[in-house]
Amino acid sequence: MKVKMILPALVEAESPFWRPIKYSLFPPLGLAMLAAYLSPEDEIDLQDQHVEILNLGDEPDLVIIQVYITNAYRAYRIADHYRAKGCYVILGGLHVTALPDEALPHADSIFLGPGETTFPQFLRDFKSGVPNKIYSSSVRTLQGIPPVRRDLIKRGRYLVPNSIVVTRGCPHHCDFCYKDAFFEGGKSFYTQQVDDALSEIEQLPGRHLYFLDDHLLGNTTFAAGLFEGMRGMNRVFQGAATVDSILRGNLIEKAAKAGLRSLFVGFETLSPQNLRQSNKKQNLKKDYIQAVNRLHDLGIMINGSFVFGLDDDDPDVFKRTVDWGVSHSLTTATYHILTPYPGTRMYSNMEQQGRILTKDWDLYDTRNVVYKTTGLTAAELKNGYDWAYRSFYSWSNIFRSSFSHDSLRHRLKHFFYAGGWKKFEPLWNFMIKTQNLNNMRPLLESILSKVSRKDTSIEPAPGSAMADRSPIQV
């Protein structure tokens, strides 16, 4: 059987003139996970349109398309294209689960929720000639799942090809998060067995790992076992966690000893009222500064996530947020305009209140205002969001933030990471276009080498570019 698996891209990522590095950072794994259930005899073509031009001239027997909100229209066009050829098309993913009635006319079958149990059932039905129109997930487990088909991933097109997911979902239920709808009808957070996760890690080549989990520290027992097992593997890795998990117990220290060097942290807002509005209870009454200092003491870089446009925000929120991030030496910042995704409680509430301005899903990219604002006008929100990015990543603020660290080596690490990420985008674009991202990986691993606030030296990565240099030449 010929099988085509497609992850459609955002318009920005598909541009023939410009390829932002964030779309070539790591390979998404959803389709490669599903491919593991296919037969070894099946001919599989997995294409990620973020990093390659789609081939739409083929005629596979089965087409599988992953849909999220800002690629939905493109996904539907691709699905219609293949159905017109007589191919059997299935759609799944976050957006399909949120709006199944919208997706169904474009597919022969749709999948709601995670597919670890429903996709194997579909394959049995498909081969028997009696596939269902809708497959809905209710059983949630990662025990006994087959290994990801990493042989289908074009590793050379990604800066960090070793992406990995060892959990599903999140233990928290923020009103603006689209994951609650995806996991409705069953467990919303569950993990692999520790031994299975460690076995998968051991088989990955190189040093650098990128955990795509929404909350790597979400299950304390699992995470502690994972980090203990990773000690001595000589890995460096990046992941995501909450303020609460950073402050609780000594789990973050275990992560650092296992190789955690960079963490995405959902601060979201500096306003307690906004936290209550969005049901982000895990951040209430938590000391953000203590969490930041704890990470800095361990040499863990911070990518702080913030949302603008919650109802308690005023015109000064952008400057307050940027100043806070710079003064507390966040390495990078990810800003979002509040976006009420379909399927979330926030979307339902705003729709009932008549606050949804458009259902053009192409605009639901956290860079556009799609709802009626309160404390800010739509123009103030959009302009403030754009200003926040320019200001945070200005050379003056990169210098100021970098040199707030105590040690010279920590300052250099911060400076090269933050500056390299945002100030050399033409270079990244050139490396992507010439398919030379692999040549940048040793430099990234060198910058991620171990350093802490109190360190007087950096521990170079064995075999890395730093190993033959003095510590000052990060």
Side-chain angles (χ1 to χ4, degrees):
M1 179 170 66
K2 291 185 178 180
V3 182
K4 183 69 167 283
M5 311 185 87
I6 302 173
L7 177 61
L10 304 180
V11 174
E12 176 188 357
E14 195 204 14
S15 167
F17 306 107
W18 185 258
R19 295 270 176 157
I21 181 59
K22 65 180 179 180
Y23 297 115
S24 299
L25 184 55
F26 49 75
L29 295 179
L31 293 174
M33 290 175 178
L34 293 185
Y37 294 98
L38 293 165
S39 168
E41 287 75 38
D42 291 331
E43 183 181 326
I44 308 169
D45 181 15
L46 193 161
Q47 290 200 286
D48 176 3
Q49 195 181 11
H50 297 92
V51 297
E52 59 189 308
I53 297 173
L54 288 185
N55 169 27
L56 299 178
D58 53 350
E59 295 186 11
D61 302 296
L62 178 63
V63 178
I64 305 164
I65 304 175
Q66 185 175 359
V67 188
Y68 51 89
I69 191 165
T70 47
N71 76 359
Y73 298 135
R74 172 169 288 156
Y76 296 155
R77 290 194 296 270
I78 294 170
D80 294 343
H81 167 81
Y82 276 110
R83 291 186 81 200
K85 291 185 174 187
C87 306
Y88 196 98
V89 175
I90 65 176
L91 298 176
L94 293 166
H95 191 68
V96 174
T97 302
L99 296 175
D101 291 341
E102 178 186 286
L104 197 54
H106 303 279
D108 296 291
S109 295
I110 63 172
F111 286 73
L112 311 183
E116 287 92 0
T117 57
T118 52
F119 188 62
Q121 180 61 53
F122 162 79
L123 291 176
R124 291 189 291 269
D125 296 342
F126 183 68
K127 291 175 181 178
S128 300
V130 289
N132 295 324
K133 288 288 290 183
I134 300 175
Y135 288 84
S136 184
S137 167
S138 59
V139 178
R140 307 284 165 78
T141 180
L142 297 180
Q143 293 189 32
I145 62 172
V148 177
R149 283 292 303 273
R150 295 183 182 273
D151 58 301
L152 300 173
I153 294 171
K154 301 171 180 68
R155 291 178 57 88
R157 297 181 183 270
Y158 301 97
L159 180 61
V160 187
N162 287 340
S163 55
I164 184 171
V165 183
V166 294
T167 69
R168 298 288 189 275
C170 180
H172 304 294
H173 305 280
C174 305
D175 283 1
F176 53 70
C177 182
Y178 47 73
K179 291 297 174 68
D180 266 10
F182 189 69
F183 289 98
E184 187 177 1
K187 287 191 292 186
S188 60
F189 184 63
Y190 47 108
T191 74
Q192 284 186 324
Q193 296 292 313
V194 171
D195 288 346
D196 291 341
L198 292 173
S199 177
E200 183 176 0
I201 291 169
E202 286 177 338
Q203 295 174 41
L204 294 174
R207 293 190 72 220
H208 194 171
L209 308 177
Y210 208 112
F211 284 92
L212 303 183
D213 305 76
D214 294 305
H215 189 355
L216 185 58
L217 277 62
N219 182 308
T220 302
T221 302
F222 168 79
L226 178 71
F227 300 144
E228 184 61 34
M230 289 180 66
R231 288 188 65 178
M233 284 189 178
N234 191 33
R235 298 286 191 175
V236 293
F237 63 94
Q238 298 171 261
T242 62
V243 173
D244 175 62
S245 66
I246 295 165
L247 296 174
R248 188 175 58 247
N250 64 345
L251 192 58
I252 195 65
E253 282 79 11
K254 292 180 179 179
K257 290 178 180 178
L260 177 63
R261 299 291 179 261
S262 175
L263 195 66
F264 180 94
V265 182
F267 298 104
E268 314 308 5
T269 175
L270 304 178
S271 161
Q273 179 57 35
N274 280 339
L275 292 174
R276 283 189 285 268
Q277 178 203 345
S278 56
N279 197 40
K280 199 169 181 71
K281 298 175 182 177
Q282 66 272 20
N283 278 25
L284 279 170
K285 299 182 179 179
K286 298 299 187 298
D287 190 333
Y288 283 11
I289 298 174
Q290 183 184 355
V292 166
N293 288 339
R294 193 168 191 179
L295 293 175
H296 284 163
D297 285 345
L298 294 168
I300 297 171
M301 295 187 295
I302 304 168
N303 178 5
S305 172
F306 298 91
V307 177
F308 295 128
L310 288 156
D311 287 351
D312 194 46
D313 283 348
D314 58 31
D316 195 44
V317 67
F318 311 103
K319 187 177 188 307
R320 286 198 309 271
T321 304
V322 170
D323 286 349
W324 187 89
V326 171
S327 63
H328 293 97
S329 297
L330 302 193
T331 318
T332 53
T334 301
Y335 299 120
H336 314 267
I337 291 175
L338 180 67
T339 304
Y341 295 111
T344 64
R345 284 188 292 274
M346 181 165 286
Y347 183 91
S348 298
N349 292 338
M350 285 192 174
E351 190 169 42
Q352 290 173 5
Q353 297 163 8
R355 296 180 63 183
I356 300 298
L357 296 176
T358 178
K359 294 185 179 180
D360 180 353
W361 308 134
D362 284 349
L363 298 177
Y364 279 62
D365 58 2
T366 77
R367 293 178 296 183
N368 290 283
V369 182
V370 297
Y371 67 100
K372 291 181 182 178
T373 55
T374 55
L376 297 161
T377 67
E380 285 175 329
L381 179 51
K382 173 60 176 171
N383 292 336
Y385 161 83
D386 292 337
W387 175 88
Y389 262 121
R390 291 195 304 270
S391 178
F392 184 87
Y393 286 107
S394 65
W395 276 122
S396 59
N397 274 337
I398 289 174
F399 274 110
R400 177 185 163 201
S401 185
S402 300
F403 282 81
S404 293
H405 294 292
D406 293 339
S407 75
L408 174 62
R409 290 154 183 84
H410 208 156
R411 294 170 186 171
L412 291 172
K413 178 177 181 176
H414 182 132
F415 176 79
F416 282 114
Y417 192 91
W421 180 247
K422 277 294 182 180
K423 290 300 186 181
F424 294 94
E425 288 183 327
L427 173 61
W428 287 115
N429 182 57
F430 174 78
M431 300 305 288
I432 293 168
K433 292 296 183 65
T434 58
Q435 297 186 22
N436 280 303
L437 275 181
N438 286 339
N439 295 329
M440 302 296 286
R441 199 172 307 132
L443 175 62
L444 175 61
E445 291 180 358
S446 295
I447 294 174
L448 289 173
S449 295
K450 184 179 179 180
V451 60
S452 68
R453 174 175 284 179
K454 299 177 176 62
D455 275 348
T456 57
S457 64
I458 297 179
E459 174 190 297
S464 74
M466 278 192 63
D468 299 321
R469 300 180 182 181
S470 64
I472 198 67
Q473 296 175 292
V474 179

